[in-house]
Each structure stands twice: as C-alpha cells, then as structure tokens.
Amino acid sequence: MICPSCKFTNTKYFYKYRDIKDQNFDLRCTSLDYRKPNLIKCKNCDLIFSELSNFKFEDGYQDVVDDLYIEQISYKKKYFEIVLSKIKKYLNKSKDVLEIGSYYGVFGSLISKHVKSYTGLELSKHAVDYSKKNYDLKFINLSIKEYLKSLDKLDVIIMSHVIEHMDDVFNDIDNIKSKMSKDSVLIFSTYNMDSLIARILGKNYHWIMPMHKFYFSKKVLKKILEEKNLEIVETVSDTHVISLKYFFIKLCKILPFLNFLFYPLSKISFFNKINIKINLGDLDIYFVKIK
C-alpha cells in the first residue's frame, strides 16, 4: 500500500471494512453508495487514502447522469450563493476563472456575473450538455491535464468538493500551480478528517465512500501544499443547503437500521420544498496562493 503522496510503503489499514468486490461504483455527486473502502493512513506523511486510490475513475465520470442533482438544483443554487459570498472578495471584473468540476453549471452561473470570464471544466458529458443548454457560458468536456496544455496562466481556480475525487491529485496540483502567478488564487473545498464529527464517527464517518480517494486533515493539506511552495492564506467553513427530502434519502443509506422511520418521510414530496442548512464543522473552503 504505497502512499500516493510520499511513496512510503504502508503495511496496515487505518479503517478496515469488508473488501469491495463489485466494482460498479456510483460516481454521481448525489451518490447513495456508502460501501466503505478500506483506508490506509500513511505512517510517514499522515495522508489517509483509499485502497481504491489507484483506480481510474475519469472514464466513469464521463458517463455520469445525475437526475437527482438536477431535481435538487434550486437548493444547490442556495448553497453556492453562500459559497459565493465567502469567496467573492477574490473575484472581480479583471479575473478569469476556471472552475474544475463544474458539474451542472450552477456555481458557474453565479460566478460569471462577477468576473471577466468563466470557464467550467467537467468530465460528465451529460452535465456539460445540460450546462451549455441552460447557461450561456463556456463549459468544456476535458480532463485537467488536457485542458491546461492550452493555457498560459490562471487567475482564479475553483474546485468545489473535487480534490478528494481526483485520479492524479498531486500531479494535478503541480499542473495547476505551473499556471499560477503570485496574484493567482486556488480555492477548493473538502472535508476535514481531524474535525470533531469525523473523529466521533470514526470508521462510520459518512464521507467515507468509494468515489472519495483521499481524506485530508488541515495539517496534512498544509504540509502537502507547502512542499509544492503553496500556502493556505485563509480557511472558512462550508455550509451545505439541501432539501429535507434529500436529507431523509441520505439518512436511509447512512443509517439503514432506521429505514422504518426515514424511508416513509423520504417519499413525502412536500419535504422537497423545504430546505435545511447543515454545518457539522467538518467541511472547509481553502484559499491557496504561491509563497
């Protein structure tokens, strides 16, 4: 079990579950696949990574169709409005923005009003087609490595809950950094494995799922970025907004022993009209610059 970051060879699992035999993974953003992949915590650098970290998911993302996400788009918009308010000071009419993992274009539709130009990079062909049809913006169906070849520089790079999914995250960060200047900023969000809720839930932590390859703490992120001559200049909390119906659907999968309670509630259409905010203190937005 070689660490994808420092290449140290590890021999023990951090969290050990039953082995995943079926390799048909649900890669939707609204995935309800809560099978737990075995996790390894590197003894050398403390990075936590999945036994599936060597799997190449990029081809699978090409075929993702996420109808449940589309159903929840009004709530996704409310969520991204909150995120926009937290990152807005880094945006202005002189900035070109690249969003990596633009999915169905909701965040891009909000960002574009505040910047010089916006480009959304997304692997899902269905999501790109939907985005182009619904928003008059530039959306491209390419990988990070392929797209960055055509660029000279990046002003603002945004990745909303994408970094934990990447096939080649450490090289991708290097490629992004190579296009950054001292004035550029990389903004990304992810969960924090050192958060109180992650520690309390332990191996039952709800963000442990097949499509998540990497599990960062703030300390590990800081160390990895510093080794790449990057620094975290600011961190803010990330608050999700979801419908009450979607919340009950999630609970059915996360807590199957309570299905008798949550499943009937998940079938009540009225709950799709009610939104709730969730902040468990484990999701953060990071602002990163070149040292």
Side-chain angles (χ1 to χ4, degrees):
M1 296 177 286
I2 299 174
C3 175
S5 178
C6 72
K7 308 307 178 185
F8 183 82
T9 299
N10 295 274
T11 58
K12 293 183 179 179
Y13 286 107
F14 179 58
Y15 290 149
K16 182 73 169 71
Y17 309 89
R18 293 180 179 177
D19 292 332
I20 295 178
K21 296 180 180 179
D22 178 6
Q23 295 178 3
N24 293 317
F25 302 115
D26 182 356
L27 300 177
R28 298 173 301 158
C29 177
T30 58
S31 173
L32 300 175
D33 186 355
Y34 282 96
R35 292 174 294 165
K36 306 291 190 186
N38 297 324
L39 300 187
I40 302 97
K41 184 173 184 179
C42 180
K43 280 195 170 184
N44 183 55
C45 71
D46 290 332
L47 173 70
I48 299 171
F49 58 97
S50 164
E51 65 180 346
L52 302 175
S53 60
N54 289 327
F55 274 62
K56 298 300 180 186
F57 285 165
E58 284 192 4
D59 290 343
Y61 282 117
Q62 292 278 347
D63 299 324
V64 165
V65 176
D66 199 340
D67 291 327
L68 184 54
Y69 188 98
I70 294 172
E71 179 186 310
Q72 297 290 314
I73 269 183
S74 61
Y75 299 108
K76 300 298 182 182
K77 184 177 180 181
K78 291 178 186 294
Y79 161 63
F80 283 123
E81 285 172 346
I82 294 172
V83 177
L84 180 61
S85 70
K86 295 178 178 181
I87 72 170
K88 198 172 178 181
K89 67 182 180 181
Y90 292 93
L91 308 178
N92 60 59
K93 288 294 184 178
S94 70
K95 301 294 185 182
D96 296 313
V97 170
L98 173 66
E99 183 187 7
I100 296 170
S102 55
Y103 216 39
Y104 284 87
V106 183
F107 201 12
S109 70
L110 300 174
I111 293 169
S112 63
K113 301 170 186 177
H114 303 278
V115 298
K116 179 183 176 183
S117 73
Y118 167 88
T119 301
L121 204 59
E122 173 55 46
L123 289 174
S124 165
K125 295 176 182 177
H126 185 262
V128 168
D129 289 343
Y130 178 96
S131 301
K132 288 180 176 178
K133 181 179 178 180
N134 288 275
Y135 310 108
D136 186 21
L137 296 170
K138 184 179 179 182
F139 295 96
I140 297 175
N141 184 219
L142 284 176
S143 69
I144 300 168
K145 184 178 180 180
E146 289 175 306
Y147 181 67
L148 290 185
K149 290 177 184 177
S150 66
L151 292 186
D152 293 324
K153 68 179 184 68
L154 292 169
D155 290 337
V156 180
I157 312 95
I158 296 173
M159 300 190 296
S160 180
H161 295 281
V162 169
I163 193 170
E164 60 267 21
H165 298 256
M166 290 176 165
D167 279 350
D168 198 9
V169 61
F170 304 106
N171 281 330
D172 284 337
I173 292 173
D174 286 334
N175 290 332
I176 290 167
K177 185 207 165 190
S178 72
K179 304 293 182 177
M180 292 174 65
S181 70
K182 287 285 187 180
D183 296 322
S184 303
V185 60
L186 167 62
I187 304 170
F188 68 87
S189 49
T190 191
Y191 40 74
N192 175 15
M193 290 299 281
D194 271 348
S195 63
L196 182 60
I197 189 68
R199 288 176 175 272
I200 290 173
L201 293 179
K203 66 190 304 182
N204 297 311
Y205 186 43
H206 47 278
W207 289 120
I208 301 174
M209 51 202 307
M211 66 176 172
H212 291 164
K213 295 186 170 191
F214 304 101
Y215 299 81
F216 301 101
S217 67
K218 289 183 179 180
K219 180 180 177 181
V220 167
L221 270 174
K222 181 180 178 182
K223 181 180 178 181
I224 289 171
L225 292 169
E226 283 181 345
E227 288 173 352
K228 298 179 181 297
N229 202 36
L230 294 165
E231 64 176 334
I232 298 170
V233 295
E234 185 180 1
T235 306
V236 297
S237 66
D238 191 11
T239 300
H240 275 206
V241 179
I242 61 174
S243 75
L244 195 54
K245 178 182 177 181
Y246 183 57
F247 179 64
F248 291 138
I249 290 172
K250 284 283 192 179
L251 288 179
C252 285
K253 292 295 181 178
I254 296 171
L255 305 171
F257 58 91
L258 291 179
N259 269 7
F260 72 93
L261 174 62
F262 295 126
Y263 183 75
L265 295 174
S266 73
K267 294 299 179 181
I268 299 174
S269 58
F270 173 74
F271 287 142
N272 204 39
K273 299 178 182 179
I274 302 173
N275 72 80
I276 57 173
K277 292 181 179 179
I278 298 179
N279 188 333
L280 300 177
D282 59 330
L283 303 179
D284 294 291
I285 303 170
Y286 297 88
F287 302 83
V288 177
K289 291 195 169 192
I290 290 177
K291 281 188 177 182

